[in-house]
Amino acid sequence: MRRSLRAALLMRRRPAVAGAGRARPVRSDGYEFAELRGYVGGDDPRRVDWAATARVGALQTRVMYEEHGLYLAVALDGSPSMRVGRDRSCYARAFDAGAAWLGLAEGADRCARIVDERLIAPRERRGRSAARACLALEDHALGSFAGQLAATCALVPTDASLLLVSDFFEIEQLAGGLGSLARRCDCTALIVRDPWFAGLGLAGFVRLRDAEDARTRRLFVGARERARYLAASAAREAVARARLRGLGIRAAVLGEDANEALQRAFAEG
């Protein structure tokens, strides 16, 4: 899985977006396969694909992408709604996804995280050492994710492979910042699944506290309310996923397995 995701990022597989351009790696003497084409004078004979040559009846050369380092960046939503959960908080699951993303780093790769709207990018470290330095920090701010996105757009370089992890509750309010990032970077987003997606374990009159504004409310929860809650959770995920993809950001839902979610984002995006 790790190798396939890294190869996809090196090849800059990015959804097509009108006006956003499409980043293209340079064909060179690297190790990532780009395409087959007819042999021309000056080609390295070691790149001749003899199986393809036999099929076509003419010499075929394997063209490779230039081997170059990645700039892996992560922005995690640290707002109050991400601090709730059952066994683990939504933020803890988001952090796992960020760790899996930065875990793709190797060699001369650069790593960065937006933490409390500041860019953490250890200049003296590369590859896995840089990833560990970034993961040693945790977001403490409980502000809006919009602030994180604005800082990310201002501080992360345009060639970054960027992972965004949030519940995306306010997807329409975030759309402007997300669109700006999609035009600058190769973006992947994971939508954190509601902790009670599998079933709201409440019944009768209950007192609930809003994670964002801390206000408490006394509500009745019955079978109809539980069904409506699950339908609303599923609809929120679908709307957020469609909106992100429309902005040119590959997207998938994050449950408990971060690696599976990343694979799904690339497979579906």
Side-chain angles (χ1 to χ4, degrees):
M1 186 282 294
R2 181 179 180 279
R3 297 305 305 170
S4 63
L5 286 182
R6 181 176 171 80
L9 289 174
L10 283 168
M11 295 170 68
R12 295 294 196 269
R13 289 178 184 163
R14 181 179 180 184
V17 187
R22 192 178 180 89
R24 296 185 185 276
V26 178
R27 287 164 169 75
S28 184
D29 191 27
Y31 298 97
E32 300 293 339
F33 176 74
E35 64 180 355
L36 280 172
R37 62 162 170 76
Y39 180 88
V40 296
D43 282 350
D44 187 342
R46 293 173 298 178
R47 295 295 188 194
V48 172
D49 187 312
W50 295 107
T53 295
R55 289 195 304 270
V56 175
L59 286 174
Q60 299 294 303
T61 298
R62 293 173 61 86
V63 181
M64 314 304 287
Y65 284 122
E66 180 181 23
E67 188 70 18
H68 60 285
L70 293 170
Y71 192 110
L72 296 163
V74 170
L76 307 179
D77 186 352
S79 61
S81 64
M82 291 286 289
R83 304 292 173 161
V84 301
R86 301 182 84 164
D87 298 331
R88 304 175 70 227
S89 70
C90 293
Y91 179 84
R93 287 187 282 146
F95 190 89
D96 287 349
W101 186 257
L102 294 180
L104 299 175
E106 59 184 52
D109 293 345
R110 298 284 301 276
C111 294
R113 270 187 69 196
I114 297 295
V115 178
D116 300 336
E117 300 185 15
R118 297 179 294 114
L119 180 69
I120 306 300
R123 299 192 178 196
E124 70 285 358
R125 300 190 184 186
R126 295 288 189 274
R128 296 182 183 180
S129 176
R132 287 193 296 270
C134 290
L135 294 170
L137 302 167
E138 181 177 336
D139 295 289
H140 298 293
L142 297 178
S144 168
F145 191 44
Q148 292 280 80
L149 294 180
T152 303
C153 195
L155 299 172
V156 170
T158 56
D159 63 343
S161 296
L162 174 65
L163 177 68
L164 305 167
V165 192
S166 171
D167 50 29
F168 293 102
F169 277 139
E170 300 175 334
I171 186 67
E172 289 306 323
Q173 290 88 331
L174 298 174
L178 291 167
S180 296
L181 280 170
R183 289 187 288 273
R184 287 175 52 85
C185 304
D186 180 21
C187 295
T188 303
L190 295 183
I191 305 158
V192 179
R193 171 154 282 171
D194 190 305
W196 291 273
F197 185 86
L200 187 62
L202 298 172
F205 285 98
V206 296
R207 190 174 296 278
L208 301 175
R209 182 174 67 87
D210 190 298
E212 292 290 340
D213 61 23
R215 293 197 307 173
T216 60
R217 299 171 177 82
R218 189 168 182 267
L219 303 171
F220 177 79
V221 179
R224 183 173 62 179
E225 287 74 22
R226 285 193 292 273
R228 289 176 59 190
Y229 182 89
L230 297 182
S233 294
R236 176 187 67 84
E237 289 182 0
V239 168
R241 188 167 61 246
R243 192 72 171 97
L244 288 163
R245 290 176 178 173
L247 291 169
I249 300 173
R250 64 177 70 87
V253 174
L254 172 63
E256 294 296 333
D257 191 322
N259 289 317
E260 178 186 341
L262 287 172
Q263 279 186 302
R264 195 164 55 250
F266 277 82
E268 299 174 0

